[in-house]
Amino acid sequence: MSDPKIRVRFAPSPTGFLHVGGARTALFNWLYARKVGGEFVLRIEDTDQERSTEESYAAILRGMEWLGLDWDEGPGAGGDCGPYLQSERLDIYREHIDALRTDGKLYPCYCTSEEIKGRNLAKGEDAFAGYDGHCRELTTEQRSAYEAEGRDPSWRLRTPDQDSTFWYDIVYDKKEFPNSSLTDRVVLKKDGFPTYNFAVVVDDHLMGISHCLRGDDHVSNTPFQIHVYQALGWTPPKFGHMPMILGPDRKRLSKRHGATSVEEFAGMGYLPDAMVNYLALLGWSAGGSGDEVFARTELIKKFSLKKVNSSPAAFDYDKLNHINAQHLKRLEPAGRLRLVEPMLAERGWELDPAWLVPAATTSDYLGRVLNLLGGRFSNLLRVPEQIGFFFSDDFAVEAEASAEHLAGEETKTWLTGLAAKIEAAAPVDQAASVEIYDEAVRAFAEELDIKAGDLIHPCRVALTGTTRSAGIFEVMELIGAPRTVARLRGAAAQ
RNA sequence: GUCCCCUUCGUCUAACGGUUAGGACACCGGCUUUUCAAGCCGGCAAUACGGGUUCGAUUCCCGUAGGGGAUGCCA
């Protein structure tokens, strides 16, 4: 109660779509905030003028919304610490840059990155060996000389060479870097924009962020940022670095592994809840043994930063598919209906009273169909093909199924005979029940002296076009006697 | 090159220094049977390697190997 407010943030840069790695980082922040009753801030880090785009910004918001990760402060949500776009906070950064400059903690650097690389190479070092401190101790005359050449400086923070910098990471525990391995990084670019490493510190501090939870790729930025906090006279927040997500081959997750943006997953028929559930399982576990399929509320209840582990995790579609199927199966009938109804509208599928089925409206009918199919759905994208034959006679018949079960002349006679039996048994003006079909089929099988299955298998193909379906008598009930009879005759006539 | 990190079944992971190293996905088998799923039951499968410390290491330390990250006026 007396603890200072827990505030976390997700701070993507709008230079691409919302990547699953970023989404997972956002998710852990969100889960933590929701778990402890803290606040979740969304901030857009668009200090890279060249790469930041409006499209990307919009795509990231869409991705967050699709996942259902709502933010308490940020674009569209308001808040007392705005603006939440770094490009709109330039005067704030400028103010703190000026303060540091006045304190003599910054120095101008006139080098281009090519010059730095060139010098590293000349010294026999790797080109990426880092900044060599070339402008660190420039005299006033030297600076004037550079200025006279027309060079605009960037500004670097002077960091110590001795001792080391450490912090206690939520995930890694103690992390320590020798200061000798740190270079004086740029905090203010030539274009007047702050660098990420500066803006992130100013914003996290000014926005009252208590826990900075970010990707593992930021670990080695942290010591420099701690020096920025110190230069500004501020106390750093707690840091926690989340493990990376790798591709199935344990290489950095990239396009060649398939989908990497959350919107692609949306388009692939995954449920947001399933995606959230699966992502949470990458680098975190509820511990112990048992079920791993969690509703959002359960996830919040169970989540703990302490259980986030430090090893990178490989993305696994098999498990995602399983989690997705489980979520689809556990959906409330009303929720499932809401998801599927648009698919009907799209295809113009609706109930026809002539079918004589036990439902009054299209929605009722769909409800019964979905109820019958129940746990058979594993992916939203496959739903239309799974329910199509209930609504339309224009459904695909698998060639192999047809060849195996419908080709025989004998079979055709049976189906014709069965059609007549059903026609006789089913009322002409009302829906017939499962029992009527069941009896009709079994009685006819007995009459023919064949196994019920010998009749049932061809029926299934004739009625659904496949060899895989729910109980065939239930299917008959739901497609109705007129269509059942017609499809049996149609198959026999092939 | 330098700095940092990671390593338990194929994959995600659990395990106060003492467990027959547990669960989940995938895979295999069985049950059921009106097919396919689902479900239930069962099975296969791991502590990267080498040294220490310890009565006892998956667990602590060192090294090796493999993988990842950083080393940007990208974030």
Side-chain angles (χ1 to χ4, degrees):
Chain A
M1 240 14 187
S2 59
D3 289 346
K5 193 73 180 168
I6 288 178
R7 286 171 60 84
V8 293
R9 86 303 194 273
F10 175 54
S13 62
T15 54
F17 299 110
L18 181 58
H19 187 271
V20 296
R24 207 275 319 266
T25 299
L27 173 62
F28 282 1
N29 275 282
W30 183 85
L31 283 172
Y32 183 56
R34 295 298 172 253
K35 164 87 181 186
V36 300
E39 285 153 358
F40 178 53
V41 177
L42 179 65
R43 182 177 71 226
I44 305 298
E45 309 218 321
D46 57 347
T47 53
D48 186 336
Q49 293 186 92
E50 313 239 305
R51 297 201 303 155
S52 298
T53 67
E54 281 293 319
E55 303 80 73
S56 169
Y57 169 64
I60 286 168
L61 297 194
R62 280 200 309 274
M64 292 288 287
E65 278 158 13
W66 182 73
L67 286 171
L69 306 183
D70 56 319
W71 51 98
D72 305 305
E73 288 175 33
D80 298 333
C81 301
Y84 294 91
L85 262 64
Q86 291 188 328
S87 58
E88 294 174 6
R89 299 172 62 81
L90 261 28
D91 48 337
I92 299 174
Y93 307 126
R94 175 63 69 171
E95 184 187 318
H96 291 95
I97 289 282
D98 286 345
L100 290 182
R101 211 153 25 192
T102 309
D103 287 353
K105 289 173 173 162
L106 306 184
Y107 62 87
C109 172
Y110 299 89
C111 304
T112 64
S113 40
E114 288 68 35
E115 287 170 334
I116 296 167
K117 274 185 203 166
R119 285 197 300 268
N120 285 338
L121 249 18
K123 275 187 288 189
E125 285 175 10
D126 196 281
F128 297 100
Y131 180 61
D132 56 1
H134 180 266
C135 296
R136 222 181 187 193
E137 309 296 345
L138 252 30
T139 62
T140 317
E141 293 70 37
Q142 287 172 307
R143 289 180 188 176
S144 309
Y146 276 126
E147 304 269 351
E149 284 179 32
R151 293 191 186 223
D152 292 322
S154 59
W155 291 77
R156 290 181 185 270
L157 177 75
R158 193 184 301 273
T159 56
D161 303 319
Q162 305 296 311
D163 304 321
S164 63
T165 304
F166 67 88
W167 74 95
Y168 288 92
D169 197 276
I170 293 166
V171 175
Y172 289 106
D173 203 45
K174 187 172 182 178
K175 292 283 307 175
E176 186 165 16
F177 286 77
N179 285 337
S180 57
S181 72
L182 267 39
T183 60
D184 296 342
R185 302 198 197 188
V186 169
V187 291
L188 185 70
K189 305 186 226 178
K190 227 169 266 180
D191 65 4
F193 275 62
T195 57
Y196 156 74
N197 278 118
F198 185 76
V200 72
V201 168
V202 171
D203 289 345
D204 281 347
H205 178 77
L206 263 26
M207 293 181 182
I209 300 303
S210 61
H211 295 66
C212 174
L213 311 176
R214 65 213 329 189
D216 177 61
D217 48 336
H218 287 292
V219 167
S220 43
N221 291 325
T222 306
F224 179 79
Q225 290 172 18
I226 288 173
H227 288 300
V228 176
Y229 277 102
Q230 286 170 352
L232 257 7
W234 296 337
T235 306
K238 289 192 171 69
F239 293 103
H241 291 91
M242 311 294 134
M244 302 267 92
I245 296 177
L246 309 175
D249 58 357
R250 304 205 67 82
K251 302 279 184 202
R252 192 185 181 83
L253 190 63
S254 71
K255 287 106 267 150
R256 70 195 165 80
H257 295 117
T260 55
S261 82
V262 308
E263 284 195 290
E264 285 177 89
F265 286 94
M268 285 161 72
Y270 294 102
L271 254 27
D273 278 10
M275 200 65 201
V276 159
N277 189 165
Y278 177 66
L279 251 21
L281 260 16
L282 251 27
W284 170 82
S285 92
S289 53
D291 204 0
E292 292 184 317
V293 181
F294 302 127
R296 210 168 274 256
T297 48
E298 293 177 280
L299 220 41
I300 293 170
K301 204 177 298 173
K302 291 174 189 293
F303 186 74
S304 161
L305 278 180
K306 287 196 182 70
K307 300 291 284 182
V308 173
N309 66 42
S310 54
S311 52
F315 196 92
D316 178 22
Y317 277 94
D318 282 335
K319 188 131 181 183
L320 205 214
N321 289 337
H322 172 257
I323 301 269
N324 191 233
Q326 290 298 319
H327 277 269
L328 224 31
K329 191 157 125 177
R330 294 177 194 198
L331 228 39
E332 296 290 317
R336 199 179 291 160
L337 201 59
R338 240 190 338 270
L339 281 169
V340 178
E341 262 178 332
M343 300 178 184
L344 297 199
E346 222 171 274
R347 280 156 244 263
W349 288 343
E350 50 184 58
L351 180 70
D352 182 338
W355 296 342
L356 295 179
V357 298
T361 64
T362 300
S363 193
D364 281 351
Y365 184 56
L366 177 60
R368 295 206 52 166
V369 168
L370 294 179
N371 194 43
L372 172 61
L373 265 29
R376 313 180 74 87
F377 301 112
S378 60
N379 184 293
L380 241 29
L381 251 36
R382 285 208 293 277
V383 170
E385 76 188 48
Q386 284 177 283
I387 65 172
F389 64 83
F390 286 106
F391 291 91
S392 162
D393 293 322
D394 182 25
F395 55 87
V397 179
E398 290 171 7
E400 203 176 312
S402 173
E404 187 180 345
H405 296 287
L406 298 178
E409 281 311 312
E410 203 178 17
T411 305
K412 292 181 181 185
T413 348
W414 294 345
L415 291 183
T416 309
L418 180 61
K421 295 284 182 188
I422 288 175
E423 203 165 37
V428 293
D429 57 349
Q430 57 179 283
S433 67
V434 171
E435 290 71 30
I436 288 176
Y437 297 108
D438 195 326
E439 269 179 45
V441 171
R442 291 189 195 279
F444 190 50
E446 212 165 306
E447 192 182 320
L448 293 173
D449 195 26
I450 57 175
K451 285 180 291 178
D454 292 337
L455 218 40
I456 285 169
H457 298 312
C459 275
R460 172 167 288 111
V461 179
L463 300 179
T464 72
T466 81
T467 56
R468 296 155 268 119
S469 82
I472 200 63
F473 306 126
E474 284 79 5
V475 168
M476 288 174 172
E477 179 186 31
L478 283 184
I479 61 179
R483 285 191 301 168
T484 298
V485 168
R487 287 184 192 178
L488 291 179
R489 289 196 173 127
Q494 287 289 308

